[in-house]
């Protein structure tokens, strides 16, 4: 076996690095076997004088986009309830807390109706993605086709010769959008934690034991919010250095517990003594509605997880029921929290509903619990861009520099999310911008286009063609206009 201790440490590191190699060397195509949301057993390059690659025995599977962690030795989950829980988990994040402000930007009537319509459209696009992946896996006789692979294989069979020649860029595009989306999530996490920490610290002297409605306090910030971001930065850098997936699974469980507890307290408060909603506008302006659209798209974070969740089920044919049930619960939760939160706080609704909670220690604990959950979820969301970028960087350096390169890239990516949060210190605008640019592309623009190029050679129905074109155009127009408005606001 490997006697060189340095060689053994490198092998252990590479086992955590999502390096799926079959027959094509990394130097030819670093993303050839990359799977954006599912870690498979990695084939390692020889270390030292050993010429034959080996599999390590403790490689685990990680659904990084949702914080889903499984041990490869324990097999696939065979319970529908497990898949349902994971589906709910990967759709409930920081965007949920911004829905009351989104309702304010759309109006009391237009907001819930539009959120329902966006939810139905998003679920339909998820179904499109599942159908295309299933069709391509059968055509190519593959067990599993991920998002990027589905895009590439569809382009390889489309009528246009130029698209066929450049089909690999379809996968690269999906990879790039996933990186932007996940780093956008991490930047939003930075801002959310800094906002909550600043409010807890600077309002500590006026926080009471009795929970009364929050009064509008004119408090001059003692410390700039950027200081809190920089305070959190070293802890997040140390957190992403943890590459033991079993430890990260513990963090995921802790994040779920704290999130559940904080959501229970939020609903318990906003359902009490709701003011008369007749004074609230039923429809807002078109400019603010675009902010609503971006926030709503951002909130539906789970489009990238539907394929691996289906693949991990013992009976994948049952996933359709799980998807419709889970997303129905998610949409109801979104509409209830957004509408009730807006009705409760009205024109004083903040970018995050936690910033509207009373100044008492009970509801300050909500901010603390949700921040703890977001802190640990950061490492899990961070895995997606890290496991795409790090293998490419490591393939370009010698093995003696591999560990240094790994840690340097992780540090640089965390600092990048921190700098993004510092440059754009408005939580609502960043959520809307990420939703308008990358989330809308992954959730609304690409799936209809994928269906067109996958099934067009097989005599598609004209109604389906028109429907897909309209959805893609809607996504493109909404994304472009929202991005323009968000950039002007910044």
């Amino acid at each position: 076996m490997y006697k060189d201790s340095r060689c053994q440490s490198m092998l252990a590191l590479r086992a955590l690095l999502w390096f799926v190699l079959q027959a094509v060397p990394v130097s030819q195509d670093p993303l050839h076997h990359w799977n954006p949301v599912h870690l498979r057993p990695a084939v390692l390059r020889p270390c030292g004088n050993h010429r034959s690659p080996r599999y390590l025995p403790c490689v685990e599977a990680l659904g990084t986009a949702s914080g889903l962690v499984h041990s490869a030795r324990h097999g696939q989950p065979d319970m529908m309830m497990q898949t349902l829980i994971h589906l709910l988990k990967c759709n409930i994040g920081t965007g949920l807390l911004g829905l009351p402000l989104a309702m304010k930007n759309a109006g009391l009537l237009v907001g819930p109706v539009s959120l329902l319509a966006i939810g139905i459209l998003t679920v339909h696009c998820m179904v499109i993605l599942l159908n295309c992946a299933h069709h391509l896996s059968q055509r190519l006789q593959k067990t599993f086709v991920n998002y990027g692979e589905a895009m590439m294989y569809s382009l390889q069979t489309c009528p246009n010769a130029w698209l066929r020649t450049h089909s690999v860029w379809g996968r690269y595009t999906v990879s790039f959008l996933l990186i932007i989306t996940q780093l956008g999530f991490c930047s939003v996490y930075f801002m959310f934690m800094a906002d909550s920490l600043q409010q807890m610290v600077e309002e500590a002297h006026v926080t009471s034991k009795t929970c009364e409605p929050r009064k509008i306090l004119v408090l001059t910030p003692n410390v700039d919010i950027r200081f809190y971001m920089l305070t959190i930065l070293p802890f997040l850098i140390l957190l992403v250095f943890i590459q033991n997936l079993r430890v990260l699974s513990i963090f995921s469980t802790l994040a779920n517990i704290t999130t559940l507890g904080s959501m229970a307290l939020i609903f318990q408060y906003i359902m009490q003594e709701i003011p008369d909603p007749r004074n609230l506008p039923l429809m807002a302006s078109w400019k603010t509605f675009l902010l609503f659209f971006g926030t709503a798209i951002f909130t539906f974070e789970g489009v990238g997880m539907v394929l691996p969740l289906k693949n991990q089920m013992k009976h994948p044919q049952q996933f359709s029921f799980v998807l419709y049930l889970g997303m129905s619960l998610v949409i109801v939760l979104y509409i209830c929290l957004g509408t009730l939160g807006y009705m409760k706080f009205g024109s004083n609704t903040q970018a995050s509903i936690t910033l509207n909670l009373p100044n008492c220690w009970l509801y300050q604990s909500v901010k603390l619990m949700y921040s703890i959950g977001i802190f640990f979820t950061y490492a899990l969301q961070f895995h997606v861009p890290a496991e795409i970028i790090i293998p490419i960087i490591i393939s370009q350096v010698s093995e003696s520099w591999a560990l240094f390169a790994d840690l340097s890239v992780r540090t640089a990516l965390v600092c990048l999310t921190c700098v993004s949060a510092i440059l754009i210190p408005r939580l609502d605008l960043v959520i809307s911008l990420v939703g308008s640019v990358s989330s809308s592309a992954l959730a609304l623009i690409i799936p209809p286009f994928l269906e067109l190029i996958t099934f067009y050679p097989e005599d598609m129905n004209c109604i389906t063609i028109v429907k897909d074109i309209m959805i893609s155009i809607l996504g493109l127009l909404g994304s472009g206009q929202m991005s323009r408005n968000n950039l002007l606001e910044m």
Side-chain angles (χ1 to χ4, degrees):
M1 295 297 293
Y2 298 98
K3 296 181 180 180
D4 186 354
S5 60
R6 184 180 65 85
C7 179
Q8 292 179 356
S9 64
M10 289 303 303
L11 284 173
L13 176 63
R14 297 189 66 79
L16 298 172
L17 285 183
W18 210 349
F19 226 27
V20 183
L21 298 176
Q22 293 178 359
V24 180
V26 176
S27 58
Q28 294 182 16
D29 187 358
L31 293 179
H32 181 76
H33 295 294
W34 165 70
N35 187 334
V37 284
H38 192 69
L39 186 65
R40 295 175 178 171
V43 183
L44 306 177
R45 291 187 298 181
C47 188
N49 296 324
H50 299 276
R51 296 183 179 275
S52 60
R54 295 178 179 268
Y55 286 90
L56 292 193
C58 295
V59 180
E60 298 179 67
L62 173 65
T64 51
S66 68
L68 169 62
V69 179
H70 290 305
S71 173
R73 295 171 295 178
H74 294 163
Q76 296 179 330
D78 57 358
M79 295 176 60
M80 294 175 61
M81 183 57 67
Q82 287 179 323
T83 306
L84 177 62
I85 292 173
H86 295 321
L87 181 65
L88 294 174
K89 180 171 63 175
C90 67
N91 279 280
I92 298 176
T94 53
L96 177 66
L97 301 179
L99 284 176
L101 181 62
M103 293 296 181
K104 176 185 174 182
N105 290 330
L108 188 59
L109 175 62
V110 175
V113 174
S114 300
L115 186 58
L116 176 62
I118 292 174
I120 294 174
L121 194 60
T122 303
V123 174
H124 177 67
C125 290
M126 290 180 180
V127 174
I128 290 176
L129 182 59
L130 290 171
N131 292 338
C132 292
H134 178 71
H135 181 80
L136 291 169
S137 63
Q138 286 188 329
R139 179 197 298 176
L140 302 171
Q141 296 182 347
K142 290 181 174 290
T143 304
F144 175 73
V145 175
N146 65 42
Y147 202 160
E149 290 171 343
M151 193 67 186
M152 181 183 66
Y153 293 142
S154 295
L155 291 174
Q156 288 176 353
T157 59
C158 72
N160 188 284
W162 188 88
L163 290 177
R164 289 198 303 269
T165 304
H166 299 82
S167 60
V168 68
W169 286 99
R171 186 185 53 207
Y172 291 160
T173 300
V174 173
S175 306
F176 175 75
L177 290 173
L178 283 169
I179 292 174
I180 296 299
T181 300
Q182 297 305 121
L183 290 181
F185 291 161
C186 292
S187 295
V188 170
Y189 291 173
F190 248 115
M191 277 176 283
F192 174 81
M193 289 185 288
D195 277 340
S196 299
L197 183 60
Q198 183 186 45
Q199 192 175 45
M200 285 187 292
V201 170
E202 299 191 358
E203 294 184 356
H205 65 284
V206 294
T207 302
S208 63
K209 295 181 180 180
T210 59
C211 296
E212 299 178 354
R214 171 176 289 274
K215 299 179 180 179
I216 300 178
L217 300 175
V218 183
L219 295 177
T220 302
N222 297 323
V223 181
D224 191 272
I225 191 172
R226 295 171 177 82
F227 171 80
Y228 294 97
M229 293 180 186
L230 295 176
T231 302
I232 298 169
L233 177 62
F235 297 100
L236 285 176
I237 292 176
L238 293 176
L239 180 66
V240 301
F241 283 174
I242 300 175
Q243 300 179 46
N244 187 315
L245 301 181
R246 192 169 297 174
V247 175
L248 291 181
S249 68
I250 298 174
F251 291 159
S252 177
T253 302
L254 180 59
N256 292 338
I257 294 174
T258 56
T259 300
L260 181 62
S262 58
M263 289 304 301
L265 287 174
I266 289 173
F267 270 103
Q268 180 267 338
Y269 178 73
I270 63 176
M271 295 179 67
Q272 298 179 11
E273 301 179 359
I274 298 177
D276 188 354
R278 286 178 292 183
N279 295 327
L280 300 177
L282 298 180
M283 179 184 300
S285 67
W286 171 250
K287 183 178 180 179
T288 58
F289 179 81
L290 291 174
L291 292 175
F292 160 83
F293 189 81
T295 303
I297 293 296
F298 176 92
T299 306
F300 290 95
E301 302 177 10
V303 64
M305 278 303 298
V306 293
L307 288 176
L309 284 177
K310 178 181 179 180
N311 184 61
Q312 291 165 357
M313 292 187 69
K314 185 175 181 179
H315 303 288
Q317 63 274 15
Q318 298 177 341
F319 183 71
S320 295
F321 172 77
V322 176
L323 177 65
Y324 287 122
L325 175 61
M327 294 308 298
S328 297
L329 295 175
V330 167
I331 293 172
V332 170
L333 174 64
Y334 286 177
I335 294 175
C336 289
L337 181 64
T339 305
L340 291 175
Y342 178 42
M343 292 171 62
K344 177 72 175 180
F345 304 116
S347 59
N348 295 323
T349 304
Q350 300 293 316
S352 171
I353 193 174
T354 57
L355 303 178
N356 282 110
L357 296 178
N359 259 349
C360 66
W361 293 112
L362 175 63
Y363 292 107
Q364 292 285 51
S365 69
V366 172
K367 303 168 194 171
L368 179 62
M369 287 190 295
Y370 215 96
S371 297
I372 291 174
I374 292 300
F375 177 82
F376 291 128
T377 305
Y378 183 101
L380 300 168
Q381 296 281 17
F382 181 84
H383 261 281
V384 174
E387 302 302 340
I388 296 172
I389 298 172
I390 289 176
I392 303 175
I393 301 299
I394 288 183
S395 67
Q396 306 300 319
V397 301
S398 63
E399 292 185 355
S400 60
W401 287 92
L403 180 59
F404 175 79
D406 181 302
L407 299 181
S408 298
V409 172
R410 292 176 182 274
T411 302
L413 290 177
V414 176
C415 292
L416 177 62
T417 61
C418 180
V419 169
S420 301
I422 289 175
L423 294 177
I424 314 172
R426 281 191 57 182
L427 185 64
D428 56 333
L429 290 181
V430 175
I431 287 177
S432 182
L433 182 62
V434 174
S436 63
V437 176
S438 54
S439 297
S440 61
L442 292 171
L444 291 182
I445 300 173
I446 295 180
F449 177 72
L450 182 61
E451 186 177 38
L452 284 174
I453 59 178
T454 301
F455 294 102
Y456 184 78
E458 304 178 13
D459 297 328
M460 288 183 66
N461 188 303
C462 292
I463 297 178
T464 303
I465 295 176
V466 173
K467 179 261 298 180
D468 288 340
I469 293 175
M470 290 181 63
I471 294 176
S472 293
I473 291 176
L474 175 65
L476 284 170
L477 292 177
S479 175
Q481 189 64 32
M482 286 184 301
S483 300
R484 175 180 175 274
N485 286 355
N486 290 331
L487 292 175
L488 290 176
E489 288 284 339
M490 292 175 184

